[in-house]
Amino acid sequence: MTTRKKTASKGQTRRKAAPKITLKKRVTRWLFGAALVSGALVVLLVLLFRFVNPPTGVYMFSESRRLGGVQRDWVPLNQIAPVMARSAVAAEDANFCNHWGFDMEAIRTAIENGSERGASTISQQTVKNVYLWHGRSWIRKAMEAGMTPLVEALWPKRRIIEVYLNVAEFDEGVFGVGAAAPHYFGVSAAELSATQAARLAAILPAPKDRSASRPSDFTRKRTAQIMDGAATIRADGRAACFDS
C-alpha cells in the first residue's frame, strides 16, 4: 500500500503569519499620529489668525470671567496712529524687524545680567497672549519657543504688531489700544499723540501697577526714553517692516 505525499501546487504560496504588533509599537504609532494631528492643528490655527482676528486668549478669557467682562475694541493697524506701533517696538523689542522671533543679542544680555527682562520679543508675547497662558512654567515656555518661529514664518510683521497691539493688556480688564486710548485719554487709537503712545508703551510691562493718565516719575522718564527710541527706529529703518 503506497502513501501519497501532499505537495503544494505550482503558483500556490504559503501564507506567512502576520507579525505580531507589540504594545510598544502600538503606543509609538499612536503618539506619532497624535503628534502629526496636533502639529497640523497648530499650523491651521496659526494660519487662521493670520486672516481672522483672534476673538480672545486664555488670559483675556480668564480675566473676563474674573471681572465679569473686559474692555476691548479691535482696531486695524491702519487705524492706529503709526507712532503707537513704533513706541511699542521701541519699548519692548527694538530689533523687531531684524529677528525671526527671538532676539539672540537681547537673550545673551539678559543671561549675562541675570534677568529675563528684555529677552521676550513682541512675537513671543503675541504667541503667549493669543495661543497660550501667562506664567513661568517650562511647558508654556517650550510651546512658546516652538510656535514663535511658526508665527514669524506665516504672518507678516505688520500682522504680528497689529495683533499684539490689540491683545496687550493696558490696565485691569482693558485690552488693546482700541480700548486703552479712550480709557486713558478720551481719544481714539488713530488720534494718539507721540506722548500718549509712549505712555501706553511705558506701562506695558506692568499695566496693573502703572497708569498712562497718572504717570509716576518713573513712567514719565520711561516715556521720554520711548519717544526718543521711537524716533530713532523710524530714522534708522528698524520700523520699516511695519511702518506705514
Side-chain angles (χ1 to χ4, degrees):
M1 191 172 186
T2 60
T3 58
R4 296 179 180 177
K5 293 182 179 180
K6 295 182 179 180
T7 58
S9 61
K10 291 182 179 181
Q12 183 179 3
T13 58
R14 294 181 180 179
R15 295 181 178 177
K16 293 182 179 180
K20 194 172 183 180
I21 301 176
T22 64
L23 177 61
K24 182 179 179 180
K25 286 184 177 180
R26 288 179 185 274
V27 172
T28 301
R29 289 182 180 180
W30 184 88
L31 289 175
F32 182 71
L36 285 179
V37 172
S38 298
L41 288 175
V42 169
V43 171
L44 287 175
L45 195 57
V46 171
L47 275 174
L48 175 67
F49 287 162
R50 173 177 176 171
F51 304 102
V52 178
N53 297 331
T56 186
V58 175
Y59 176 70
M60 192 186 303
F61 178 75
S62 67
E63 284 293 275
S64 180
R65 293 196 61 179
R66 183 178 72 86
L67 300 170
V70 295
Q71 299 177 49
R72 188 195 185 198
D73 183 17
W74 187 281
V75 183
L77 189 59
N78 60 11
Q79 294 179 26
I80 299 174
V83 71
M84 182 68 241
R86 292 195 294 271
S87 297
V89 170
E92 296 291 291
D93 187 6
N95 293 317
F96 175 65
C97 287
N98 300 329
H99 63 62
W100 47 275
F102 304 101
D103 189 338
M104 304 309 296
E105 182 179 347
I107 291 174
R108 283 192 294 269
T109 301
I111 293 173
E112 291 171 0
N113 295 335
S115 171
E116 293 185 1
R117 178 71 190 138
S120 182
T121 64
I122 282 177
S123 303
Q124 290 175 267
Q125 293 178 54
T126 301
V127 167
K128 178 182 69 176
N129 288 334
V130 173
Y131 297 104
L132 305 175
W133 62 95
H134 287 204
R136 297 180 177 274
S137 72
W138 286 107
I139 294 177
R140 201 270 298 163
K141 288 180 179 293
M143 294 176 68
E144 179 185 299
M147 291 187 69
T148 297
L150 183 62
V151 167
E152 281 275 346
L154 298 179
W155 293 11
K157 291 284 190 176
R158 278 183 62 84
R159 179 57 174 170
I160 295 174
I161 192 66
E162 177 182 58
V163 173
Y164 173 75
L165 290 175
N166 278 284
V167 297
E169 184 183 28
F170 288 91
D171 196 358
E172 186 173 52
V174 179
F175 292 85
V177 295
H183 172 75
Y184 281 115
F185 306 117
V187 300
S188 70
E191 298 169 323
L192 286 167
S193 68
T195 300
Q196 291 169 339
R199 281 192 185 177
L200 288 178
I203 66 172
L204 281 175
K208 292 179 180 178
D209 299 324
R210 302 176 188 176
S211 172
S213 57
R214 298 184 301 277
S216 63
D217 289 341
F218 172 83
T219 301
R220 290 180 185 277
K221 182 178 179 180
R222 181 67 178 143
T223 296
Q225 293 171 341
I226 292 171
M227 291 177 69
D228 289 342
T232 298
I233 65 171
R234 184 184 189 185
D236 65 18
R238 281 181 291 161
C241 69
F242 63 86
D243 218 350
S244 55

